[in-house]
mmCIF file of all heavy atoms in Angstrom:
data_model
loop_
_atom_site.group_PDB
_atom_site.id
_atom_site.type_symbol
_atom_site.label_atom_id
_atom_site.label_comp_id
_atom_site.label_asym_id
_atom_site.label_seq_id
_atom_site.Cartn_x
_atom_site.Cartn_y
_atom_site.Cartn_z
ATOM 1 N N GLU A 27 -0.221 -11.612 9.434
ATOM 2 C CA GLU A 27 0.241 -12.535 8.413
ATOM 3 C C GLU A 27 -0.389 -12.322 7.102
ATOM 4 O O GLU A 27 0.212 -12.298 6.041
ATOM 5 C CB GLU A 27 0.144 -13.961 8.834
ATOM 6 C CG GLU A 27 0.984 -14.413 10.023
ATOM 7 C CD GLU A 27 0.415 -14.012 11.373
ATOM 8 O OE1 GLU A 27 -0.748 -13.592 11.440
ATOM 9 O OE2 GLU A 27 1.205 -14.055 12.373
ATOM 10 N N LEU A 28 -1.777 -12.120 7.145
ATOM 11 C CA LEU A 28 -2.575 -11.861 6.043
ATOM 12 C C LEU A 28 -2.164 -10.519 5.402
ATOM 13 O O LEU A 28 -2.118 -10.347 4.124
ATOM 14 C CB LEU A 28 -4.028 -11.932 6.261
ATOM 15 C CG LEU A 28 -5.005 -11.721 5.111
ATOM 16 C CD1 LEU A 28 -4.701 -12.698 3.929
ATOM 17 C CD2 LEU A 28 -6.504 -11.844 5.607
ATOM 18 N N LEU A 29 -2.034 -9.500 6.240
ATOM 19 C CA LEU A 29 -1.713 -8.114 5.711
ATOM 20 C C LEU A 29 -0.355 -8.145 5.050
ATOM 21 O O LEU A 29 -0.116 -7.516 4.028
ATOM 22 C CB LEU A 29 -1.636 -7.114 6.948
ATOM 23 C CG LEU A 29 -2.995 -6.834 7.581
ATOM 24 C CD1 LEU A 29 -2.815 -5.963 8.789
ATOM 25 C CD2 LEU A 29 -3.976 -6.142 6.559
ATOM 26 N N LEU A 30 0.638 -8.909 5.628
ATOM 27 C CA LEU A 30 1.924 -9.007 5.041
ATOM 28 C C LEU A 30 1.888 -9.695 3.644
ATOM 29 O O LEU A 30 2.477 -9.322 2.673
ATOM 30 C CB LEU A 30 2.921 -9.700 5.919
ATOM 31 C CG LEU A 30 4.336 -9.889 5.450
ATOM 32 C CD1 LEU A 30 4.932 -8.479 5.171
ATOM 33 C CD2 LEU A 30 5.183 -10.651 6.490
ATOM 34 N N HIS A 31 1.135 -10.807 3.645
ATOM 35 C CA HIS A 31 1.007 -11.624 2.417
ATOM 36 C C HIS A 31 0.316 -10.766 1.322
ATOM 37 O O HIS A 31 0.750 -10.734 0.112
ATOM 38 C CB HIS A 31 0.122 -12.787 2.696
ATOM 39 C CG HIS A 31 -0.240 -13.634 1.461
ATOM 40 N ND1 HIS A 31 0.687 -14.405 0.768
ATOM 41 C CD2 HIS A 31 -1.384 -13.776 0.704
ATOM 42 C CE1 HIS A 31 0.222 -14.928 -0.340
ATOM 43 N NE2 HIS A 31 -1.104 -14.576 -0.387
ATOM 44 N N ASP A 32 -0.783 -9.964 1.710
ATOM 45 C CA ASP A 32 -1.402 -9.167 0.653
ATOM 46 C C ASP A 32 -0.481 -7.979 0.165
ATOM 47 O O ASP A 32 -0.569 -7.653 -1.008
ATOM 48 C CB ASP A 32 -2.702 -8.542 1.308
ATOM 49 C CG ASP A 32 -3.592 -7.919 0.218
ATOM 50 O OD1 ASP A 32 -4.052 -8.715 -0.628
ATOM 51 O OD2 ASP A 32 -3.813 -6.711 0.265
ATOM 52 N N PHE A 33 0.362 -7.510 1.067
ATOM 53 C CA PHE A 33 1.251 -6.401 0.652
ATOM 54 C C PHE A 33 2.205 -6.885 -0.387
ATOM 55 O O PHE A 33 2.505 -6.300 -1.405
ATOM 56 C CB PHE A 33 1.922 -5.804 1.864
ATOM 57 C CG PHE A 33 2.984 -4.771 1.539
ATOM 58 C CD1 PHE A 33 2.568 -3.546 0.887
ATOM 59 C CD2 PHE A 33 4.297 -4.930 1.819
ATOM 60 C CE1 PHE A 33 3.495 -2.577 0.648
ATOM 61 C CE2 PHE A 33 5.190 -3.958 1.571
ATOM 62 C CZ PHE A 33 4.856 -2.773 0.905
ATOM 63 N N GLU A 34 2.749 -8.185 -0.095
ATOM 64 C CA GLU A 34 3.725 -8.689 -1.035
ATOM 65 C C GLU A 34 3.061 -9.136 -2.371
ATOM 66 O O GLU A 34 3.697 -8.964 -3.408
ATOM 67 C CB GLU A 34 4.406 -9.979 -0.364
ATOM 68 C CG GLU A 34 5.264 -9.573 0.824
ATOM 69 C CD GLU A 34 5.714 -10.775 1.597
ATOM 70 O OE1 GLU A 34 5.187 -11.903 1.441
ATOM 71 O OE2 GLU A 34 6.579 -10.608 2.439
ATOM 72 N N LYS A 35 1.810 -9.597 -2.259
ATOM 73 C CA LYS A 35 1.171 -10.072 -3.501
ATOM 74 C C LYS A 35 0.556 -8.845 -4.288
ATOM 75 O O LYS A 35 0.584 -8.939 -5.534
ATOM 76 C CB LYS A 35 0.005 -11.006 -2.981
ATOM 77 C CG LYS A 35 -0.678 -11.719 -4.189
ATOM 78 C CD LYS A 35 -1.770 -12.675 -3.595
ATOM 79 C CE LYS A 35 -2.570 -13.296 -4.783
ATOM 80 N NZ LYS A 35 -3.619 -14.192 -4.218
ATOM 81 N N ASN A 36 0.080 -7.907 -3.596
ATOM 82 C CA ASN A 36 -0.640 -6.685 -4.273
ATOM 83 C C ASN A 36 0.024 -5.486 -3.925
ATOM 84 O O ASN A 36 -0.650 -4.489 -3.622
ATOM 85 C CB ASN A 36 -2.115 -6.787 -3.909
ATOM 86 C CG ASN A 36 -2.888 -7.979 -4.326
ATOM 87 O OD1 ASN A 36 -2.851 -8.383 -5.472
ATOM 88 N ND2 ASN A 36 -3.518 -8.646 -3.354
ATOM 89 N N TYR A 37 1.303 -5.478 -3.998
ATOM 90 C CA TYR A 37 2.127 -4.314 -3.623
ATOM 91 C C TYR A 37 1.697 -2.947 -4.254
ATOM 92 O O TYR A 37 1.569 -1.973 -3.616
ATOM 93 C CB TYR A 37 3.567 -4.599 -3.984
ATOM 94 C CG TYR A 37 4.518 -3.394 -3.871
ATOM 95 C CD1 TYR A 37 5.059 -2.973 -2.680
ATOM 96 C CD2 TYR A 37 4.894 -2.699 -5.034
ATOM 97 C CE1 TYR A 37 5.906 -1.934 -2.556
ATOM 98 C CE2 TYR A 37 5.705 -1.575 -4.971
ATOM 99 C CZ TYR A 37 6.281 -1.266 -3.722
ATOM 100 O OH TYR A 37 7.106 -0.152 -3.689
ATOM 101 N N HIS A 38 1.326 -3.073 -5.545
ATOM 102 C CA HIS A 38 0.977 -1.827 -6.350
ATOM 103 C C HIS A 38 -0.259 -1.160 -5.729
ATOM 104 O O HIS A 38 -0.462 0.051 -5.890
ATOM 105 C CB HIS A 38 0.683 -2.140 -7.758
ATOM 106 C CG HIS A 38 -0.444 -3.127 -7.975
ATOM 107 N ND1 HIS A 38 -0.349 -4.519 -7.762
ATOM 108 C CD2 HIS A 38 -1.777 -2.893 -8.295
ATOM 109 C CE1 HIS A 38 -1.495 -5.086 -7.937
ATOM 110 N NE2 HIS A 38 -2.368 -4.167 -8.265
ATOM 111 N N MET A 39 -1.147 -1.808 -4.978
ATOM 112 C CA MET A 39 -2.340 -1.257 -4.462
ATOM 113 C C MET A 39 -2.004 -0.307 -3.277
ATOM 114 O O MET A 39 -2.803 0.575 -2.831
ATOM 115 C CB MET A 39 -3.275 -2.323 -3.912
ATOM 116 C CG MET A 39 -4.034 -3.056 -5.017
ATOM 117 S SD MET A 39 -5.414 -3.968 -4.199
ATOM 118 C CE MET A 39 -5.616 -5.281 -5.472
ATOM 119 N N TYR A 40 -0.867 -0.490 -2.666
ATOM 120 C CA TYR A 40 -0.522 0.276 -1.407
ATOM 121 C C TYR A 40 0.360 1.486 -1.685
ATOM 122 O O TYR A 40 0.517 2.301 -0.826
ATOM 123 C CB TYR A 40 0.209 -0.707 -0.447
ATOM 124 C CG TYR A 40 -0.707 -1.807 0.077
ATOM 125 C CD1 TYR A 40 -0.776 -3.011 -0.561
ATOM 126 C CD2 TYR A 40 -1.530 -1.569 1.234
ATOM 127 C CE1 TYR A 40 -1.626 -4.033 -0.036
ATOM 128 C CE2 TYR A 40 -2.295 -2.577 1.688
ATOM 129 C CZ TYR A 40 -2.396 -3.745 1.075
ATOM 130 O OH TYR A 40 -3.249 -4.797 1.520
ATOM 131 N N VAL A 41 0.950 1.590 -2.894
ATOM 132 C CA VAL A 41 1.876 2.650 -3.156
ATOM 133 C C VAL A 41 1.131 4.043 -3.084
ATOM 134 O O VAL A 41 1.603 4.977 -2.454
ATOM 135 C CB VAL A 41 2.569 2.419 -4.523
ATOM 136 C CG1 VAL A 41 3.499 3.620 -4.843
ATOM 137 C CG2 VAL A 41 3.422 1.182 -4.488
ATOM 138 N N TYR A 42 0.088 4.131 -3.866
ATOM 139 C CA TYR A 42 -0.602 5.420 -4.000
ATOM 140 C C TYR A 42 -1.162 5.887 -2.631
ATOM 141 O O TYR A 42 -1.011 7.103 -2.235
ATOM 142 C CB TYR A 42 -1.702 5.442 -5.021
ATOM 143 C CG TYR A 42 -2.363 6.744 -5.149
ATOM 144 C CD1 TYR A 42 -1.716 7.871 -5.653
ATOM 145 C CD2 TYR A 42 -3.671 6.952 -4.646
ATOM 146 C CE1 TYR A 42 -2.285 9.094 -5.722
ATOM 147 C CE2 TYR A 42 -4.288 8.242 -4.727
ATOM 148 C CZ TYR A 42 -3.587 9.267 -5.275
ATOM 149 O OH TYR A 42 -4.205 10.524 -5.344
ATOM 150 N N PRO A 43 -1.866 5.051 -1.831
ATOM 151 C CA PRO A 43 -2.342 5.535 -0.541
ATOM 152 C C PRO A 43 -1.292 6.077 0.347
ATOM 153 O O PRO A 43 -1.553 7.075 1.092
ATOM 154 C CB PRO A 43 -2.974 4.234 0.081
ATOM 155 C CG PRO A 43 -3.429 3.453 -1.109
ATOM 156 C CD PRO A 43 -2.313 3.653 -2.146
ATOM 157 N N VAL A 44 -0.100 5.477 0.356
ATOM 158 C CA VAL A 44 1.042 6.005 1.174
ATOM 159 C C VAL A 44 1.477 7.373 0.648
ATOM 160 O O VAL A 44 1.710 8.349 1.464
ATOM 161 C CB VAL A 44 2.187 5.025 1.179
ATOM 162 C CG1 VAL A 44 3.508 5.584 1.783
ATOM 163 C CG2 VAL A 44 1.787 3.764 1.911
ATOM 164 N N HIS A 45 1.578 7.541 -0.673
ATOM 165 C CA HIS A 45 1.946 8.836 -1.245
ATOM 166 C C HIS A 45 0.916 9.863 -1.012
ATOM 167 O O HIS A 45 1.174 11.026 -0.668
ATOM 168 C CB HIS A 45 2.231 8.692 -2.771
ATOM 169 C CG HIS A 45 3.495 8.059 -3.117
ATOM 170 N ND1 HIS A 45 3.807 7.627 -4.386
ATOM 171 C CD2 HIS A 45 4.557 7.730 -2.312
ATOM 172 C CE1 HIS A 45 4.988 7.073 -4.416
ATOM 173 N NE2 HIS A 45 5.472 7.095 -3.195
ATOM 174 N N TRP A 46 -0.309 9.470 -1.118
ATOM 175 C CA TRP A 46 -1.520 10.398 -0.988
ATOM 176 C C TRP A 46 -1.461 10.968 0.442
ATOM 177 O O TRP A 46 -1.694 12.145 0.643
ATOM 178 C CB TRP A 46 -2.769 9.609 -1.214
ATOM 179 C CG TRP A 46 -4.048 10.331 -0.822
ATOM 180 C CD1 TRP A 46 -4.681 11.317 -1.519
ATOM 181 C CD2 TRP A 46 -4.745 10.117 0.390
ATOM 182 N NE1 TRP A 46 -5.754 11.789 -0.762
ATOM 183 C CE2 TRP A 46 -5.818 11.027 0.407
ATOM 184 C CE3 TRP A 46 -4.620 9.277 1.501
ATOM 185 C CZ2 TRP A 46 -6.772 11.194 1.445
ATOM 186 C CZ3 TRP A 46 -5.514 9.347 2.558
ATOM 187 C CH2 TRP A 46 -6.563 10.277 2.474
ATOM 188 N N GLN A 47 -1.281 10.141 1.455
ATOM 189 C CA GLN A 47 -1.315 10.576 2.851
ATOM 190 C C GLN A 47 -0.151 11.603 3.059
ATOM 191 O O GLN A 47 -0.444 12.603 3.787
ATOM 192 C CB GLN A 47 -1.240 9.474 3.868
ATOM 193 C CG GLN A 47 -1.205 9.860 5.287
ATOM 194 C CD GLN A 47 -2.541 10.538 5.670
ATOM 195 O OE1 GLN A 47 -3.560 9.839 6.046
ATOM 196 N NE2 GLN A 47 -2.615 11.876 5.647
ATOM 197 N N PHE A 48 0.965 11.341 2.507
ATOM 198 C CA PHE A 48 2.090 12.254 2.713
ATOM 199 C C PHE A 48 1.718 13.658 2.154
ATOM 200 O O PHE A 48 1.923 14.662 2.818
ATOM 201 C CB PHE A 48 3.354 11.778 1.976
ATOM 202 C CG PHE A 48 4.555 12.641 2.183
ATOM 203 C CD1 PHE A 48 5.462 12.379 3.187
ATOM 204 C CD2 PHE A 48 4.778 13.715 1.334
ATOM 205 C CE1 PHE A 48 6.559 13.293 3.364
ATOM 206 C CE2 PHE A 48 5.915 14.565 1.490
ATOM 207 C CZ PHE A 48 6.822 14.252 2.497
ATOM 208 N N HIS A 49 1.162 13.685 0.969
ATOM 209 C CA HIS A 49 0.807 14.985 0.351
ATOM 210 C C HIS A 49 -0.441 15.663 0.970
ATOM 211 O O HIS A 49 -0.510 16.890 0.875
ATOM 212 C CB HIS A 49 0.680 14.827 -1.145
ATOM 213 C CG HIS A 49 1.917 14.444 -1.830
ATOM 214 N ND1 HIS A 49 3.030 15.268 -1.934
ATOM 215 C CD2 HIS A 49 2.363 13.279 -2.447
ATOM 216 C CE1 HIS A 49 4.017 14.738 -2.545
ATOM 217 N NE2 HIS A 49 3.653 13.479 -2.866
ATOM 218 N N GLN A 50 -1.214 14.899 1.632
ATOM 219 C CA GLN A 50 -2.305 15.477 2.422
ATOM 220 C C GLN A 50 -1.824 16.250 3.578
ATOM 221 O O GLN A 50 -2.389 17.280 4.010
ATOM 222 C CB GLN A 50 -3.276 14.343 2.950
ATOM 223 C CG GLN A 50 -4.136 13.622 1.910
ATOM 224 C CD GLN A 50 -5.150 14.641 1.387
ATOM 225 O OE1 GLN A 50 -5.121 15.145 0.226
ATOM 226 N NE2 GLN A 50 -6.219 14.953 2.115
#
């Protein structure tokens, strides 16, 4: 529940890590 809330509240923090892993 906290992880979901944080993703919705601080969405921009999670975009780059997801892209970064793909390109790794």
Side-chain angles (χ1 to χ4, degrees):
E27 293 79 13
L28 180 57
L29 292 175
L30 181 59
H31 174 73
D32 192 63
F33 178 62
E34 292 170 349
K35 187 178 176 183
N36 299 305
Y37 169 81
H38 62 283
M39 288 193 203
Y40 293 92
V41 177
Y42 181 69
V44 170
H45 285 170
W46 168 81
Q47 180 63 84
F48 183 93
H49 293 293
Q50 287 293 107

